[in-house]
Amino acid sequence: MPVIVLEARDLISPLFLIRTWEILSGCTTFSLVASLEDSELNKNPSTLRFNTFRVFCMFTWCFFFTLSLLIHILSVIQFHSLIPISWKNLTMTVAVLGGLMCFTASVLFPWIIMDHQRVSPRPLVAAVTSCLTVLAYSSESYILRTQAHEHRGYMGSLPGLLKTIQLWGGVQMIPLVVEVVFGLQRGVHSWQVWVTGVSYGVCLLMSLVTLVVILGDLAGRCPLPFDRFLAGFSVIGVLLYMVATVICFTKILQLRELEQHVSSESAGLVIMETVVAGITLLAYTVDLAFSMKLLCDRSHV
C-alpha cells in the first residue's frame, strides 16, 4: 500500500494542532524537570531519600511524549493502516490515559518534588506546561469522543473509558505502594503490604491483558467469549479492590493512633492511595454492571 502524505488542509485540522501541542508541551515539561538543580527541589529528607515520584513523573512525560510523537508521525504519513493494531482504539487509549497520567504528574510535581520554600522560575514553568499537556490530551479525548462510534472504537465507549481508568489506577499504585512501604516505618503490618501489593499487581496484569487483546483485535481468538472474560476480570477486580480499600481505611485509622510518629507527607500518601483505590473500585463496579447487562442481553437473544 503506498504511503500518502497529508494534504495542506489536514495540517491545520484541530486534531493535528492538538497533537502538536501535546508534543511541544510534553517535551518542554520533561526537559525543564530534567534540568532542575538540587536547590530547586524539595528539601524534605524522605523525598531526597526516596525519589520515586520524580522518576514516575519523568517516565510519564517521556513515555506519552514518545507515544504522541509516534502517533503524530504515523498519522502524517498515513502508515498506521499497515500496523497490525487497532488504530482507533490506540489513539483513544493514549489520549485518555495520557490525560489521566499527566494529571497525576501535574499534581505530584508541585506537591512533592518542587521546593515550597523558594519557588524558582523553571519548576514553576514546568508545572504550568504539565497542566497544558493535560489540557491537550483532554482536548484530543473530547475530539475523538465526538466522532462516530465506528471511528472511535471500543475504547471510546463508556466501558472502554472505565477500563482505561482501571489501568490508570493500577499504574498509580506502583509508586504509592513503594513510598508507603519506605515512608511508614511504624504501624504498617507486613500482611497489609503483601495483600494490597498482590491485589494491585493482579488487577494491573488483567488490565494490561485486556488492553493488549483490544488493541490487537484478538478477541476472536479467545477460547471463551471475550465478554465473559471481561465479566470475570471485573468480578475479580471488584473483590480485590474491595479488600485493598478496606485495608487502606485501616491504615488511616492506624495513622490517627500514630500521628505523632508519622510525617504529614506519609499520611498524605496513604490518603492518596485510599482515594485512588476508591476511584478504581468504582470503575470496576460500574464496568461489572455493564458486563452483566451485556451478558443478560445476549442470553435473551
Side-chain angles (χ1 to χ4, degrees), residues 104-125:
T104 304
S106 299
V107 173
L108 294 176
F109 178 74
W111 175 30
I112 297 179
I113 302 174
M114 281 181 58
D115 184 10
H116 299 163
Q117 303 297 328
R118 184 175 63 89
V119 180
S120 303
R122 280 190 297 181
L124 184 61
V125 174

Side-chain angles (χ1 to χ4, degrees), residues 264-276:
S264 58
E265 291 82 3
S266 299
L269 293 179
V270 175
I271 295 175
M272 185 176 178
E273 180 186 358
T274 306
V275 171
V276 175

Side-chain angles (χ1 to χ4, degrees), residues 33 36 38 40-57 61 104-117 123 127 172 175-176 179-180 264-270 272-273:
V33 176
L36 294 180
D38 293 339
E40 298 173 302
L41 301 176
N42 197 337
K43 303 300 189 302
N44 188 290
S46 62
T47 305
L48 294 177
R49 188 169 67 249
F50 307 111
N51 210 12
T52 309
F53 285 113
R54 186 182 181 186
V55 175
F56 177 78
C57 292
W61 293 318
T104 304
S106 299
V107 173
L108 294 176
F109 178 74
W111 175 30
I112 297 179
I113 302 174
M114 281 181 58
D115 184 10
H116 299 163
Q117 303 297 328
Q172 302 312 302
L176 284 174
E179 285 291 331
V180 168
S264 58
E265 291 82 3
S266 299
L269 293 179
V270 175
M272 185 176 178
E273 180 186 358

Side-chain angles (χ1 to χ4, degrees), residues 10 21 43 55 60 84 89 101 106-107 117 123 134 154 176 182 186 199 208 211 239 257 259-260 264 272 278 287-288:
D10 296 325
W21 174 13
K43 303 300 189 302
V55 175
T60 298
N89 286 318
M101 293 289 291
S106 299
V107 173
Q117 303 297 328
V134 177
Y154 173 81
L176 284 174
F182 290 102
R186 297 187 180 185
S199 299
L208 291 175
L211 183 62
L239 294 177
E257 300 176 357
E259 56 184 356
Q260 296 181 351
S264 58
M272 185 176 178
D287 191 26
L288 176 60

Side-chain angles (χ1 to χ4, degrees), residues 8-75:
R9 58 185 174 84
D10 296 325
L11 299 178
I12 58 173
S13 64
L15 198 57
F16 181 90
L17 296 176
I18 287 175
R19 285 172 177 167
T20 304
W21 174 13
E22 294 170 358
I23 295 171
L24 293 178
S25 58
C27 180
T28 303
T29 302
F30 72 75
S31 299
L32 288 172
V33 176
S35 65
L36 294 180
E37 300 177 356
D38 293 339
S39 59
E40 298 173 302
L41 301 176
N42 197 337
K43 303 300 189 302
N44 188 290
S46 62
T47 305
L48 294 177
R49 188 169 67 249
F50 307 111
N51 210 12
T52 309
F53 285 113
R54 186 182 181 186
V55 175
F56 177 78
C57 292
M58 284 294 293
F59 170 79
T60 298
W61 293 318
C62 295
F63 179 73
F64 284 98
F65 163 78
T66 304
L67 284 181
S68 299
L69 182 61
L70 291 176
I71 289 175
H72 204 33
I73 293 175
L74 293 176
S75 298

Side-chain angles (χ1 to χ4, degrees), residues 67-284:
L67 284 181
S68 299
L69 182 61
L70 291 176
I71 289 175
H72 204 33
I73 293 175
L74 293 176
S75 298
V76 170
I77 64 177
Q78 297 189 2
F79 194 73
H80 54 82
S81 59
L82 303 180
I83 301 176
I85 294 178
S86 177
W87 182 254
K88 53 189 178 183
N89 286 318
L90 176 64
T91 53
M92 192 69 204
T93 303
V94 172
V96 177
L97 187 60
L100 292 173
M101 293 289 291
C102 290
F103 172 77
T104 304
S106 299
V107 173
L108 294 176
F109 178 74
W111 175 30
I112 297 179
I113 302 174
M114 281 181 58
D115 184 10
H116 299 163
Q117 303 297 328
R118 184 175 63 89
V119 180
S120 303
R122 280 190 297 181
L124 184 61
V125 174
V128 173
T129 55
S130 181
C131 294
L132 292 177
T133 307
V134 177
L135 183 59
Y137 280 112
S138 302
S139 301
E140 183 184 0
S141 302
Y142 174 77
I143 292 177
L144 295 176
R145 279 275 297 170
T146 55
Q147 295 178 350
H149 179 72
E150 59 271 10
H151 295 296
R152 69 189 185 194
Y154 173 81
M155 297 304 292
S157 63
L158 185 55
L161 295 177
L162 291 173
K163 289 174 175 56
T164 306
I165 296 176
Q166 295 165 10
L167 178 60
W168 166 79
V171 174
Q172 302 312 302
M173 291 307 179
I174 298 175
L176 284 174
V177 169
V178 172
E179 285 291 331
V180 168
V181 169
F182 290 102
L184 289 179
Q185 299 180 357
R186 297 187 180 185
V188 175
H189 302 288
S190 59
W191 68 268
Q192 292 177 331
V193 178
W194 278 103
V195 171
T196 54
V198 170
S199 299
Y200 300 147
V202 170
C203 292
L204 178 59
L205 180 61
M206 292 190 303
S207 297
L208 291 175
V209 170
T210 302
L211 183 62
V212 169
V213 172
I214 294 175
L215 294 183
D217 285 331
L218 303 175
R221 302 182 182 181
C222 294
L224 291 177
F226 188 58
D227 52 356
R228 295 186 181 181
F229 272 116
L230 295 181
F233 284 170
S234 298
V235 171
I236 296 174
V238 168
L239 294 177
L240 291 181
Y241 266 96
M242 283 181 61
V243 174
T245 304
V246 171
I247 293 177
C248 287
F249 280 107
T250 304
K251 292 179 183 179
I252 294 178
L253 296 178
Q254 293 173 349
L255 289 178
R256 296 183 61 182
E257 300 176 357
L258 301 171
E259 56 184 356
Q260 296 181 351
H261 305 284
V262 178
S263 63
S264 58
E265 291 82 3
S266 299
L269 293 179
V270 175
I271 295 175
M272 185 176 178
E273 180 186 358
T274 306
V275 171
V276 175
I279 294 174
T280 312
L281 174 60
L282 180 61
Y284 273 107

